[in-house]
Amino acid sequence: MDSSRRRGYNPGVRALPRALAALLLTLAAWGPLAAKVRVVATVFPLGEFAAAVAGERAEVELLLPAGAGVHDWQPRPGDLTRLAECDLLLFIGAGLEPWLPELLRAMPDRKMRTLEAAAGLDLAGAGEEEEEEEHGGTGHGPLDPHVWLDFELDAGIVRRIAEELARIDPDGAPEFAANADSLVARLRALDEKFRVGLAACRGKTIVLAGHAAFGYLARRYGLEQMALYGLSPDARPRPKDLMRAVDLCRARGIRTVFHESSVPPDLSRTLAREIGGSVLALHAGHNPSRDQRARGAGFFELMEENLSSLREGLGCR
């Protein structure tokens, strides 16, 4: 009999410890596994951009529950804990999140970094303060915070997100930069699709039975937004605003009224009846509903739906 068998030799007995030793040496060479960066975003576009840029190196979550209004949402004690544990807070600013300054003041020892997406951008809406007060609005103030509806502005925001992530996780900087390049390319392709799709339209006026959330989109593609009231989402139209909209639609032959998909379409239907027209929805995209999230509608999908509605409603070739 072979001497190795007499001693009870089994090749697997020694092979297994060698394999484990090799694995342990490899793990030691890599060092301790780094914890993922924790990112919290106030609105859906920022969360989606951050997730695309960070890849597997971060965990990204939205502060607001699905469908909640970003203007009037009220944080709970648990939300303070979520913020205290995150590494990076992404928010729009320009008055979109009126509850945020007080929330941050309640965290005197906060360690997370913050990125205000609207900071430094060419913001629209200055000078509309009187109109807001006249309609009873108390929301955004004089500046338009809906900057994510300009895809070129989004490209700059994406670059800034990559820079902030690199400050927190320097080893991931090359990956963040490469992911940002890919996302910017998608945004510019979407921008070109809008530019071509809206270039030859019978109408150029977006009649919006709601607050003026689509100003950046209109500005970028040479359209005009005519909203029943200004930037504040809690304003209410007056009878003379409705009559002015009816007169404008009749004078220009406008037969489509748009409404923001997150609000009931009652007002838009009333206006559409007056002009013998129809109603189409547009997505502001700041916080999709539960149904939209359940069907996997991302930022790009919602914007594609907007383009389809605009082309139909404006009579584009």
Side-chain angles (χ1 to χ4, degrees):
M1 181 181 292
D2 182 81
S3 60
S4 62
R5 293 191 180 182
R6 286 197 305 269
R7 292 192 296 270
Y9 173 72
N10 185 335
V13 173
R14 291 186 183 177
L16 183 58
R18 287 185 190 136
L20 286 173
L23 178 61
L24 291 172
L25 287 172
T26 302
L27 291 175
W30 287 348
L33 294 176
K36 289 187 176 184
V37 178
R38 301 188 66 177
V39 181
V40 171
T42 59
V43 295
F44 182 70
L46 292 181
E48 187 152 303
F49 296 163
V53 171
E56 296 298 319
R57 301 187 72 94
E59 294 177 351
V60 181
E61 61 177 323
L62 288 181
L63 189 59
L64 275 66
V70 67
H71 322 93
D72 54 8
W73 176 76
Q74 291 298 318
R76 298 162 297 182
D79 299 311
L80 192 65
T81 302
R82 292 165 65 197
L83 285 181
E85 294 175 348
C86 80
D87 301 299
L88 176 62
L89 169 65
L90 304 175
F91 66 102
I92 295 293
L96 182 72
E97 306 100 339
W99 37 265
L100 186 58
E102 183 177 351
L103 191 60
L104 292 179
R105 282 194 295 270
M107 304 172 59
D109 300 323
R110 66 179 188 271
K111 297 179 181 179
M112 83 281 197
R113 299 185 65 87
T114 61
L115 189 154
E116 182 180 356
L121 299 181
D122 178 20
L123 299 182
E128 296 187 16
E129 204 162 7
E130 284 186 15
E131 184 181 348
E132 293 294 302
E133 292 174 359
E134 191 177 353
H135 285 78
T138 58
H140 303 316
L143 296 177
D144 186 349
H146 305 89
V147 293
W148 62 89
L149 292 173
D150 182 323
F151 309 132
E152 186 59 31
L153 294 181
D154 287 336
I157 293 170
V158 165
R159 299 285 190 203
R160 290 169 59 201
I161 291 174
E163 291 168 1
E164 286 297 327
L165 288 170
R167 291 186 179 99
I168 298 168
D169 178 9
D171 291 341
E175 181 178 342
F176 301 146
N179 289 343
D181 287 343
S182 297
L183 183 54
V184 166
R186 288 188 68 194
L187 286 165
R188 289 186 171 152
L190 181 64
D191 178 54
E192 182 62 16
K193 195 167 186 178
F194 266 73
R195 189 171 301 284
V196 171
L198 300 174
C201 303
R202 185 171 61 251
K204 292 289 185 180
T205 305
I206 303 173
V207 175
L208 190 66
H211 83 296
F214 297 88
Y216 288 100
L217 186 150
R219 180 178 75 174
R220 182 147 188 86
Y221 304 112
L223 304 175
E224 176 190 3
Q225 175 185 236
M226 205 292 291
L228 286 187
Y229 44 94
L231 290 169
S232 176
D234 60 358
R236 292 294 178 267
R238 303 157 300 182
K240 69 177 183 179
D241 297 319
L242 283 167
M243 291 309 302
R244 182 184 63 179
V246 169
D247 291 343
L248 181 142
C249 290
R250 288 174 176 168
R252 298 187 184 182
I254 294 171
R255 301 293 298 276
T256 301
V257 179
F258 295 95
H259 76 97
E260 192 175 340
S261 61
S262 61
V263 300
D266 299 356
L267 189 57
S268 59
R269 288 173 179 164
T270 299
L271 180 54
R273 280 196 299 269
E274 289 294 322
I275 64 173
S278 58
V279 173
L280 290 172
L282 292 175
H283 309 293
H286 61 283
N287 191 14
S289 66
R290 287 185 177 86
D291 289 342
Q292 289 170 332
R293 291 197 195 181
R295 66 180 171 87
F299 177 75
F300 286 86
E301 288 75 19
L302 293 176
M303 295 305 106
E304 292 270 8
E305 291 177 15
N306 280 350
L307 178 57
S308 179
S309 292
L310 287 168
R311 283 179 53 79
E312 178 183 349
L314 299 178
C316 304
R317 294 196 301 274

